[in-house]
Amino acid sequence: MMTMSNAYIDDFPAEAKVIRAAFYSSFFALALGGVFGVIQTLHRTGYYRFIDSADYYTVLTAHGVFLVISFTIFFLVGIFTWAVTTSLDRGVEDLRFTWGWYGLMAIGITLSGVAILAGFTDATDISASVLFTFYAPLQGHPMFYLGLVLFVVGTWLAGVDWFRSWWAWKGENPDERIPLPTFMVLTTMLMWYIATLGVAAAILLFLLPWSLGWIETVNPLLTRTLFWFFGHPVVYFWLMPAYMMWYVLLPKVSGGKLFSDPLARVVFVLFLILSVPTGIHHQYLDPGIAEGFKFIAMTNTMFLLLPSLLTAFTVVASMEHGARQRGGTGYFGWLKALPWRDPVFTGMALAGLMFAAAGFSGMVNAGMNINYLVHNTFWVVGHFHLTVGTAVALTFMAVTYWFLPQVTGKALWSRSVALGQVVLWFVGMTFMSNAMHRAGLLGVPRRTAEPQYDGFEFEAAVGSIGELQAQIALGGILLTLSLVLFFANVIGTGLNGRSDDLPANEYAGTLSGPEDAPLVLDNLKLWTAIAIVLVIFAYTFPLLSIVDRGGLFGPELNPFPVSIESVTLLAFAVEHLAVGALESLSLPGLLEVIR
Amino acid sequence: MRISKAGLLVVLALLAPLLVELRTVLSWINVELSVLETAVVGAVLVAIVLVWAFLPENGEDEDTDETADRNVSNGD
């Protein structure tokens, strides 16, 4: 007898293939990024240095780019494709187009990746050890920038693919509300389109022509500002898919329903309009941007706490509902009824918990006055290892244990190993990020291969620097072990045979559904227009002022006059000015003496 | 057992942030713990949690805590 499951692969076999490809690309990047992560952890802390310190920056670039660009974005295009096809209950409009954007992303990141890794060898003159932020005057090989452009264009086309699906669906269902997962994908992509204009301008107008030798100089403050125009919202491009998982999958695996669909829509609308006009808060210490502009960026950033707090409320309320459906009782007793045995649930719950801590350290970063205390220190590294490194990465790893069976049709290799993996990540990141934050408070810098200096010692208020280093190294090793367990599960699942006993491809229902949400929330044109207006308000004057002061392509280079004629001219001018000044003092006696 | 094995694992994991932050918090009231002392405090806390977890609840059967822990999402 043949049994059929209702897994994603059964309904959308062709799309499942694309999602699988995106996931495997993502995991490959995670593996590479993880290896570079442990190398730099051991190098920086001084426990094991087998690379040259000059190569540390190549390692750091690879760690950053492979994890926060390739791992996260390949994974999110996979789950966005799942979200749109599942919630609209229709396949993509043109599968060749879907493979096209995946291919473009893959080619792009390969070019950038090769440019970075080539920095380890002197056999070619290719290198791009410019760190994830690729600030000028650090200059990468043109292949690095070109690869990034292709990768981003690939994501743009992916967005077009999802919008096409929605338009086609809307044509057939003109009076229906946008299903929540699709709504989340569309708002995220609209935000991404606006955000990436900054990095596209930085690369296409300045950095790429500069690396090709077409222009001599760039204005570093301008390219930096354009980078952060993209650089802050990109964190929401990682985070919003994680939020989506907390809204549409976590309530389901908790055994309940999403507390409020309208609140979820409000959150994503707020992210669309507030994510971009905040980037200048990464530049509080940049000279050349007036304090007033920085203050506006800080205010916008503080507003972003609202969607995160709404999410905390909605997600915990949904979890509590699920726990009570499972028989949980009491003020806190319901926590015991949650499915802690399920790595999908536990991973997401621990990721959410870590994100709360990240929110607090983020508020310190966002506040202009206290940011000065932690700017460019190890604190910031601790912060983003809690956000992208845990809230996002741990959520993605946890949901992999749900998605992998869905898109491969194979049962998960080991749920116990998966549970151990997510818990180990939590413990490892606790040790590592706690010590990074504390070291930052002591002034230990970031982006440094050897944070040790002659004649100077950092002083710890509690414990010692050596203990903090040990804590970071211990955390890094636990995280690496966690990754090994993750890949064992991915490979083990891939080697499993096809299973007919998989859970159905479903996402959480709602307690308060879309019918309770005001219609205006689905007006994507309105929210996009407001988002653009806010960006214009936040960026027009800072950008004009930066260009006015530093020039579009950097300050004009006027060499100091050194010829004999100009020195004579200069001497005459100085004498004339001096005599004039003395005369104006009306000191006849003094003038008499001089005469 | 008062708590499922998976629940116990998570509770033990949550001791990690508690321990590393406790050391800082205690320093505010001039109680400075060395790494070894912190480890000893951690071991004591782990022992207390384990004793609590393995004590049977009044009038409750050994199996009851597992029933609430059955997973519904991954179809195991």
Side-chain angles (χ1 to χ4, degrees), chain A residues 154-321:
Chain A
T155 62
W156 287 351
L157 295 178
V160 170
D161 202 5
W162 302 321
F163 268 94
R164 280 176 73 187
S165 287
W166 173 55
W167 287 323
W169 177 87
K170 202 165 76 162
E172 294 165 14
N173 304 272
D175 300 323
E176 297 254 347
R177 299 299 295 265
I178 309 172
L180 186 61
T182 298
F183 180 85
M184 292 169 160
V185 171
L186 300 182
T187 43
T188 305
M189 289 314 294
L190 287 170
M191 184 280 292
W192 180 241
Y193 284 127
I194 300 172
T196 42
L197 292 178
V199 75
I203 293 180
L204 292 175
L205 300 179
F206 304 108
L207 297 174
L208 186 57
W210 176 56
S211 69
L212 288 165
W214 296 348
I215 54 174
E216 286 286 306
T217 55
V218 296
N219 178 344
L221 184 57
L222 179 61
T223 50
R224 250 169 107 96
T225 307
L226 288 172
F227 175 84
W228 285 117
F229 181 102
F230 144 91
H232 192 70
V234 74
V235 310
Y236 297 107
F237 195 48
W238 309 323
L239 198 60
M240 286 159 81
Y243 272 31
M244 178 207 264
M245 294 294 102
W246 298 350
Y247 278 109
V248 305
L249 208 56
L250 186 61
K252 182 177 160 46
V253 296
S254 305
K257 291 180 172 180
L258 173 61
F259 183 71
S260 169
D261 169 297
L263 265 184
R265 285 176 203 255
V266 168
V267 165
F268 275 70
V269 164
L270 285 172
F271 275 127
L272 164 59
I273 61 180
L274 291 172
S275 293
V276 186
T278 54
I280 288 178
H281 75 226
H282 289 258
Q283 298 176 277
Y284 286 149
L285 279 188
D286 278 16
I289 301 178
E291 296 289 288
F293 299 141
K294 293 175 179 172
F295 189 86
I296 291 171
M298 176 178 75
T299 312
N300 288 342
T301 308
M302 293 300 179
F303 275 118
L304 267 174
L305 285 172
L306 185 63
S308 290
L309 292 174
L310 285 176
T311 299
F313 170 77
T314 316
V315 170
V316 174
S318 307
M319 278 165 48
E320 182 181 348
H321 172 257

Side-chain angles (χ1 to χ4, degrees), chain A residues 409-481:
Chain A
K410 298 169 178 178
L412 189 66
W413 177 61
S414 168
R415 276 185 42 180
S416 300
V417 170
L419 183 65
Q421 185 266 318
V422 294
V423 171
L424 197 58
W425 190 272
F426 174 82
V427 174
M429 197 55 90
T430 297
F431 282 120
M432 194 171 91
S433 72
N434 167 274
M436 285 172 164
H437 277 98
R438 285 168 59 199
L441 288 177
L442 309 177
V444 175
R446 62 186 289 205
R447 295 174 171 144
T448 305
E450 298 175 14
Q452 297 89 29
Y453 305 95
D454 287 338
F456 173 77
E457 290 210 355
F458 295 106
E459 283 184 23
V462 183
S464 67
I465 286 286
E467 287 167 21
L468 291 179
Q469 304 277 43
Q471 201 177 309
I472 291 167
L474 171 67
I477 287 167
L478 293 180
L479 290 168
T480 309
L481 286 177

Side-chain angles (χ1 to χ4, degrees), chain A residues 326 341-342 415 434 467, chain B residues 21 23 68 70-71 73 76:
Chain A
R326 299 165 62 93
R341 175 78 184 83
D342 184 359
R415 276 185 42 180
N434 167 274
E467 287 167 21
Chain B
E21 297 296 353
R23 193 174 176 214
R70 299 304 298 166
N71 175 267
S73 70
D76 68 325

Side-chain angles (χ1 to χ4, degrees), chain A residues 347-368:
Chain A
M348 279 198 276
L350 292 177
L353 193 65
M354 282 290 220
F355 189 60
F360 292 120
S361 69
M363 279 187 259
V364 171
N365 299 343
M368 251 173 97

